[in-house]
Amino acid sequence: MEKNFYITTPIYFCNSNLHIGHCYTTVAADTLARFKKLQGFNVKFLTGTDEHGQKIEAMAKKNNMQPQDYVDSIVEWIKDLWKTMNIDYDIFMRTTNPNHVKTVQKIFKKLYDLGDIYKSSYEGLYCTPCETFFTEHQLVNGKCPDCGRDVEKLKEEAYFFRLSKYQDRLIKFFEDNPKFIEPESRKNEMINNFLKPGLEDLCVSRTSFNWGIPVDFDGNHIIYVWFDALFNYVSALGFMSDDDSEYKKFWPADIHLVAKEIVRFHTIIWPAVLMALDMPLPKKVFGHGWVTIDGGKISKSKGNVVDPKILVERYKTDAIRYYLMREINFGQDGNFTNEALIKRINFDLVNDLGNLVSRTNGMIQKYFGGQIENFDYEKNEQLEKMCLDTVNDYENLMNQYKLSDAITKVWSLINFANKYVDEIKPWFLAKDPNQKNTLANFLYSLVEILRVVSILIYPFMPSTPKKILAQFNLDESYINLQDAKKFGVLSKNIHAIKSELLFPRIDIDKELEELEKINHLK
Ligand code: MSP
């Protein structure tokens, strides 16, 4: 039977300031999607853009553009960013997609007919220049927290979703499905901070701006941007359209990957609306942490280059992807610095992985003229066990979404192999003609380890495995998870090809100075 797997990132607010933190979610989702494909799943991986709302309307105006033209131009920039990061998505969903618009309108009407959406009025403190409602405690010295001007009490007619009605069902759902929200701490936060104190009905329409999906039976109202956005996960699969075969196949999602600040939308509001529509709920919402700078929000003012396009230009995509997935414990916050990035490149990629590849290749060149053949294969129990245990642990960790732990495991294997070379001292074996077969076996085992390493790093660093395999005249067809569970797969005829270094070493002081200059220029 076909095993389907549906994974989503949040859809990004349409702007061209996406930084390394935004890339974190897409890289993690891409890594998981590639891993699931390796496991043999039929994967659907969705990302996209959230294109409506007052802020986008204002940005378009500032740029003297129509909102649609404005978002079209930004979408191109975002798609290019994902190409740069080697994100292999299956669906790029836009909330201005006409099918999405129709679906959201139908859903809104259905909930209205069911009585779960009703009309009332919204009362709050309003800042006219900012076109935004605030609560009393959001104000700063009684004034608008954004522009500092006076606010006024205002009443606006609006539609509401009966969120409060779903409180008990949500608590029960969380209890019955303890793995629905991960990590565990986020689940406790949702229960204690939001569900237990009590849910209020949610305002789901606005009348103060135009750029959004209109309520089709009440033209003054625009559907609240979050309500609009969440439904992309099902409109993308053709839900409520003439062809909903993809919806039937892939819904419910196996995992919504989001950062912690939007866990509430995905674990309270989204399930409640799905309950109201009698639809299955997603199987899991994983709320990962934030990439921070000095423990706070990412910004380029803090002396670090955070523009992913610049970073990729300097260090290549795989190095950035590796850094993000390795450095930050998946689920927790983690600090980003250019220095830590360069150190990871120099230590892990140049010294560990790069060195293992180049010394293995170099020894085959030096001791066997580039070709090991006609030797009697002898199993190396120790290397074989280390390799198979690593694959096993890696797969278990990946299945539990422990991405940083899984890639760390692969590095234990790489480091083990490097140490093994130092212990065996092949340069001594090479001096003894009686040891020729032992040496050939030893080098063959190292190439086997590199084959396995190539498979395991592939989801994280999709371009590097091809380069490693090519050094031993092997092609991409060797990137196969089933084969990672076997040792001695390669033919006993290994041809090593003289190649360039996998990763060039970076002069850290010089590089940090360069980055500082770039930051000043921007
Ligand atoms: N449009 C909404 C999501 C709607 S989903 C139905 C949104 N967009 S966003 O562009 O502001 O953020 C999208 C995602 O970017 C965040 O949820 C998070 O996954 C990611 N991140 C943005 N900054 C980040 C960090 N500094 N660190 C980690 N992830 C970050 O929210």
Side-chain angles (χ1 to χ4, degrees):
M1 213 185 77
E2 211 178 24
K3 302 180 293 179
N4 297 319
F5 192 86
Y6 184 30
I7 176 168
T8 69
T9 71
I11 49 169
Y12 289 78
F13 285 128
C14 223
N15 75 74
S16 54
N17 275 329
L18 300 190
H19 51 57
I20 197 74
H22 294 103
C23 294
Y24 185 70
T25 314
T26 35
V27 168
D30 186 68
T31 302
L32 277 171
R34 287 176 190 268
F35 169 69
K36 286 288 162 188
K37 281 178 194 162
L38 276 188
Q39 278 189 317
F41 283 85
N42 179 24
V43 175
K44 191 69 82 188
F45 168 22
L46 171 144
T47 188
T49 38
D50 191 351
E51 305 186 6
H52 291 130
Q54 195 173 13
K55 275 198 185 136
I56 289 176
E57 188 177 72
M59 282 305 290
K61 205 168 163 197
K62 209 171 135 196
N63 285 282
N64 272 327
M65 285 169 98
Q66 288 302 316
Q68 186 65 55
D69 295 337
Y70 175 72
V71 291
D72 285 350
S73 67
I74 303 285
V75 162
E76 285 317 304
W77 186 92
I78 293 181
K79 282 188 172 169
D80 183 62
L81 173 63
W82 298 150
K83 204 166 144 202
T84 309
M85 296 305 296
N86 209 347
I87 306 295
D88 187 21
Y89 54 77
D90 300 290
I91 309 176
F92 190 96
M93 194 57 194
R94 302 181 55 178
T95 53
T96 50
N97 176 317
N99 291 330
H100 171 79
V101 171
K102 260 188 250 152
T103 305
V104 171
Q105 286 177 325
K106 280 188 205 163
I107 289 166
F108 200 92
K109 178 74 168 55
K110 186 168 175 190
L111 288 170
Y112 181 73
D113 291 342
L114 286 168
D116 268 335
I117 280 183
Y118 62 92
K119 200 171 184 177
S120 179
S121 59
Y122 187 85
E123 210 176 331
L125 298 156
Y126 194 69
C127 172
T128 312
C130 296
E131 294 182 272
T132 310
F133 276 106
F134 296 102
T135 60
E136 196 83 52
H137 77 266
Q138 285 172 323
L139 301 182
V140 176
N141 301 327
K143 312 258 185 200
C144 170
D146 289 343
C147 71
R149 279 179 263 221
D150 287 335
V151 291
E152 52 180 333
K153 254 207 172 113
L154 215 74
K155 220 173 165 180
E156 191 181 292
E157 189 187 72
Y159 286 92
F160 285 79
F161 170 69
R162 283 189 206 284
L163 188 60
S164 56
K165 181 175 149 187
Y166 292 92
Q167 175 166 331
D168 295 341
R169 269 179 73 181
L170 283 169
I171 293 179
K172 170 124 188 15
F173 178 76
F174 284 12
E175 280 168 3
D176 293 347
N177 299 277
K179 296 240 160 226
F180 172 62
I181 309 179
E182 279 193 273
E184 175 97 17
S185 57
R186 311 236 188 270
K187 176 176 85 183
N188 300 336
E189 193 188 326
M190 288 303 121
I191 295 178
N192 297 331
N193 297 0
F194 296 105
L195 284 175
K196 288 209 170 137
L199 293 175
E200 283 180 22
D201 289 354
L202 178 75
C203 179
V204 288
S205 79
R206 298 284 190 272
T207 51
S208 51
F209 61 94
N210 294 316
W211 181 240
I213 302 182
V215 175
D216 53 356
F217 55 90
D218 192 346
N220 286 335
H221 291 260
I222 296 293
I223 295 171
Y224 175 41
V225 64
W226 266 99
F227 194 85
D228 160 358
L230 285 163
F231 278 98
N232 93 90
Y233 298 136
V234 290
S235 69
L237 301 176
F239 176 64
M240 273 189 161
S241 75
D242 294 341
D243 178 5
D244 64 356
S245 51
E246 292 285 86
Y247 172 76
K248 288 194 177 119
K249 206 162 146 187
F250 287 100
W251 190 257
D254 291 273
I255 181 167
H256 288 313
L257 204 59
V258 300
K260 59 183 184 180
E261 83 282 9
I262 58 173
V263 166
R264 184 174 69 91
F265 287 98
H266 284 83
T267 60
I268 295 183
I269 297 172
W270 181 224
V273 200
L274 292 171
M275 282 174 178
L277 291 163
D278 215 8
M279 287 164 71
L281 306 198
K283 292 181 201 156
K284 187 181 296 296
V285 175
F286 192 101
H288 65 70
W290 279 338
V291 181
T292 58
I293 287 191
D294 297 336
K297 274 201 159 173
I298 292 190
S299 76
K300 42 182 186 227
S301 56
K302 293 188 184 166
N304 284 289
V305 171
V306 294
D307 180 335
K309 291 191 180 178
I310 296 182
L311 294 174
V312 165
E313 207 179 280
R314 300 185 80 82
Y315 315 120
K316 303 277 180 299
T317 309
D318 275 9
I320 310 296
R321 289 177 60 120
Y322 171 75
Y323 169 82
L324 289 174
M325 293 299 101
R326 172 78 195 255
E327 183 84 3
I328 302 163
N329 199 335
F330 201 57
Q332 291 166 18
D333 289 354
N335 219 34
F336 173 84
T337 65
N338 290 148
E339 189 177 338
L341 167 65
I342 298 166
K343 281 186 172 158
R344 279 269 174 220
I345 295 174
N346 278 350
F347 294 142
D348 301 8
L349 301 183
V350 179
N351 289 357
D352 300 341
L353 177 59
N355 184 31
L356 183 61
V357 173
S358 60
R359 73 202 305 203
T360 304
N361 188 326
M363 286 188 283
I364 299 176
Q365 303 291 341
K366 193 166 169 196
Y367 306 137
F368 291 92
Q371 186 105 19
I372 28 176
E373 55 190 340
N374 301 328
F375 64 99
D376 292 328
Y377 179 56
E378 293 155 6
K379 252 175 159 227
N380 184 326
E381 305 276 352
Q382 197 187 359
L383 282 187
E384 177 163 347
K385 183 170 182 326
M386 179 65 190
C387 225
L388 299 184
D389 286 351
T390 303
V391 178
N392 213 4
D393 292 348
Y394 166 94
E395 198 172 6
N396 283 335
L397 291 164
M398 290 296 275
N399 282 338
Q400 297 170 59
Y401 305 117
K402 295 190 170 162
L403 304 185
S404 36
D405 293 342
I407 190 70
T408 303
K409 268 271 161 230
V410 184
W411 250 256
S412 310
L413 177 63
I414 295 169
N415 292 335
F416 176 85
N418 269 325
K419 254 211 222 121
Y420 201 70
V421 176
D422 298 338
E423 276 168 24
I424 294 285
K425 301 193 176 41
W427 39 93
F428 286 138
L429 293 180
K431 286 185 184 146
D432 182 351
N434 292 330
Q435 298 285 357
K436 197 99 183 156
N437 201 61
T438 310
L439 185 59
N441 265 292
F442 173 70
L443 292 176
Y444 175 83
S445 300
L446 290 184
V447 180
E448 269 293 297
I449 289 185
L450 287 173
R451 176 185 65 81
V452 173
V453 164
S454 299
I455 300 167
L456 304 187
I457 64 171
Y458 166 77
F460 295 84
M461 310 168 75
S463 308
T464 304
K466 268 182 265 173
K467 293 184 191 156
I468 298 176
L469 292 168
Q471 293 212 11
F472 303 98
N473 204 25
L474 304 167
D475 64 21
E476 285 172 67
S477 63
Y478 284 93
I479 303 172
N480 172 330
L481 194 59
Q482 283 316 313
D483 284 349
K485 296 170 187 169
K486 298 177 209 145
F487 203 79
V489 163
L490 294 174
S491 94
K492 309 298 177 287
N493 183 343
I494 301 279
H495 179 41
I497 297 166
K498 278 195 180 144
S499 312
E500 280 179 18
L501 283 181
L502 213 49
F503 298 97
R505 182 178 304 283
I506 301 169
D507 178 331
I508 186 159
D509 294 333
K510 236 165 122 186
E511 184 62 16
L512 288 174
E513 260 175 49
E514 284 294 314
L515 293 174
E516 196 58 49
K517 278 188 217 150
I518 293 176
N519 241 354
H520 282 300
L521 285 178
K522 288 205 91 196

